[in-house]
Amino acid sequence: YGISFVLVTINYFLYFFIREWRNRKNQVIKFAGVNFILLVAVFAYGFRPDVVHDGKTSLRISVVQPNIAQKDKWDPEKSPWIMGRLKSLTRQAAADNPDLIVWPEASLPSYLEHAEYHLEEVRDLVEQIQVPVLLGYVRLGGDRNYYNSGILINSDGSIAGWYDKIHLVPFGEFVPFRNIFPFLSDIVPVGDISRGREPAFFHLSNRKKTPFSILICFEDTDDRIPRLMAGSGAEVLINMTNDAWFKDTKAPWLHLQAAIFQATSYGRPLVRAANTGVSAYVTDNGRIRRIFSGSDGKATFQEGVATWEVIPASRKTFRLMFGNIFAYLCIACLTGNVIMIIIIKYYRKKPGGKSS
């Protein structure tokens, strides 16, 4: 909302300058001064130095980018091949001695009630490499509903817990108003994924007890979810996503750019593990510190692993403490102006009211 405010203000000034320069030079000059101060403040904030995090122990986090095509993800005949690639990349990542290895969203190539042995495969793998693995999968809950989930497996193979995605994608994970308009099911044949009820927080089962939370898919673009996680104590945000839907377009990069706002707004580093890219590490100041790329330098539709030193953060930012209060103040000012205009016009229409 702040960036939108700056864009609108600058563009309105250009309009005001073109239209009123000859007739209202003093007002134009004053408005130009306000815009100059606004721009200086914005750029000064953007170029501020990195924060020194005293006492924070860095985490070595490895991300796995398996590059599985969307047409292959749920093909039962391809599941052994997919599992083989994921396990091979995980062993490769373990050689970097990370504290945590992250797989992308829905990386487990099966619904668990059909093939729980896939989860057992991962648990066996984790016991062998002795590194915790965070993976995405479609979970069948005790209520017999499906959830888009992330699960943490400790280095001893035990399940530390899971997180069910809260913010679902319309027509991708559920069909809105399906009960009211049943014909929508024929237009968009998507089975409904159930919505998670609460955030989840994880700690690694080693000496590094840094609390972290998971953002699944587009939850790293919805400011409510990251604020909920950061406000409850998460010091690192991990986004597991699958942008294979977008193919080789600008969309995966736009997704990354949107995610940057959450890191800088709430002062938390953000690590992204994407099926086909873009996998990246964004600092708590919103700087893209690392991007995974293949041997040809391309970041999307490349297979491989990357390991980064991630510095946790727990500082209180304005957005974390006050949320969208700036937007609400703008709405209040706009509403107040509209009310004043209505009152003035009503007063002028009354007998005896001023006409000028």
Side-chain angles (χ1 to χ4, degrees):
Y1 297 115
I3 297 298
S4 299
F5 179 86
V6 172
L7 291 173
V8 171
T9 302
I10 299 300
N11 279 277
Y12 181 74
F13 165 70
L14 295 176
Y15 161 79
F16 188 75
F17 174 83
I18 294 171
R19 180 172 175 172
E20 303 293 346
W21 171 247
R22 294 178 181 275
N23 303 322
R24 304 169 65 182
K25 289 186 178 180
N26 288 337
Q27 288 89 336
V28 170
I29 293 173
K30 290 178 181 179
F31 198 8
V34 171
N35 277 264
F36 177 76
I37 294 172
L38 182 63
L39 283 177
V40 169
V42 169
F43 279 98
Y45 180 83
F47 284 106
R48 69 196 189 284
D50 286 332
V51 178
V52 177
H53 303 282
D54 295 329
K56 295 291 184 182
T57 303
S58 64
L59 291 177
R60 285 180 62 82
I61 299 180
S62 293
V63 296
V64 171
Q65 184 168 304
N67 189 29
I68 307 299
Q70 194 61 34
K71 64 181 179 62
D72 295 331
K73 278 185 65 63
W74 305 114
D75 185 344
E77 296 182 358
K78 298 290 181 64
S79 62
W81 166 73
I82 293 173
M83 285 299 298
R85 174 175 291 188
L86 287 166
K87 290 163 69 174
S88 174
L89 292 173
T90 301
R91 289 192 178 93
Q92 181 180 336
D96 290 336
N97 194 30
D99 297 302
L100 176 67
I101 298 174
V102 184
W103 290 11
E105 172 194 15
S107 47
L108 210 64
S110 62
Y111 299 106
L112 288 190
E113 82 283 10
H114 294 148
E116 289 194 13
Y117 61 85
H118 279 160
L119 184 59
E120 292 302 318
E121 278 188 81
V122 181
R123 296 177 68 175
D124 291 341
L125 172 65
V126 172
E127 285 188 77
Q128 295 171 20
I129 63 175
Q130 289 292 294
V131 179
V133 171
L134 182 67
L135 61 95
Y137 75 117
V138 178
R139 185 179 73 86
L140 177 64
D143 53 6
R144 306 303 298 174
N145 289 326
Y146 290 107
Y147 296 90
N148 187 352
S149 305
I151 184 173
L152 175 64
I153 301 177
N154 287 324
S155 54
D156 61 0
S158 63
I159 296 177
W162 60 80
Y163 163 69
D164 298 326
K165 186 180 180 185
I166 296 174
H167 185 189
L168 302 178
V169 179
F171 302 106
E173 293 171 312
F174 75 102
V175 178
F177 310 113
R178 185 194 294 272
N179 295 333
I180 302 175
F181 306 108
F183 67 88
L184 290 175
S185 298
D186 298 327
I187 300 174
V188 186
V190 175
D192 283 352
I193 295 289
S194 296
R195 178 179 177 271
R197 297 177 178 84
E198 58 187 6
F201 304 93
F202 302 90
H203 294 82
L204 298 179
S205 57
N206 56 20
R207 61 184 178 84
K208 298 180 179 179
K209 302 298 183 181
T210 303
F212 64 91
S213 289
I214 307 171
L215 305 171
I216 299 178
C217 191
F218 277 93
E219 287 186 324
D220 63 346
T221 67
D222 179 356
D223 65 331
R224 297 171 299 171
I225 310 300
R227 187 186 182 207
L228 184 65
M229 305 297 192
S232 298
E235 296 183 359
V236 176
L237 300 175
I238 297 179
N239 176 225
M240 315 163 73
T241 188
N242 172 34
D243 288 346
W245 309 90
F246 297 135
K247 301 187 183 300
D248 199 6
T249 65
K250 293 291 184 182
W253 294 96
L254 294 175
H255 187 182
L256 170 62
Q257 289 178 5
I260 293 172
F261 284 98
Q262 311 315 321
T264 188
S265 292
Y266 302 115
R268 299 295 185 272
L270 178 70
V271 177
R272 306 183 77 240
N275 173 28
T276 55
V278 180
S279 298
Y281 163 37
V282 183
T283 70
D284 59 300
N285 274 350
R287 291 183 171 86
I288 301 177
R289 188 65 69 202
R290 297 285 186 272
I291 291 179
F292 167 77
S293 59
S295 57
D296 59 355
K298 194 168 180 287
T300 54
F301 291 91
Q302 301 289 314
E303 170 192 345
V305 300
T307 302
W308 303 312
E309 293 283 346
V310 178
I311 302 176
S314 56
R315 58 192 175 88
K316 299 289 186 181
T317 64
F318 180 90
R319 188 82 177 277
L320 181 60
M321 293 186 291
F322 301 105
N324 293 323
I325 189 172
F326 175 74
Y328 298 143
L329 289 174
C330 289
I331 294 173
C333 290
L334 176 62
T335 304
N337 275 283
V338 171
I339 293 173
M340 287 182 61
I341 291 172
I342 293 173
I343 291 174
I344 291 172
K345 287 190 174 182
Y346 174 76
Y347 174 72
R348 286 177 176 175
K349 289 182 179 179
K350 289 181 63 177
K354 296 181 180 180
S355 58
S356 60

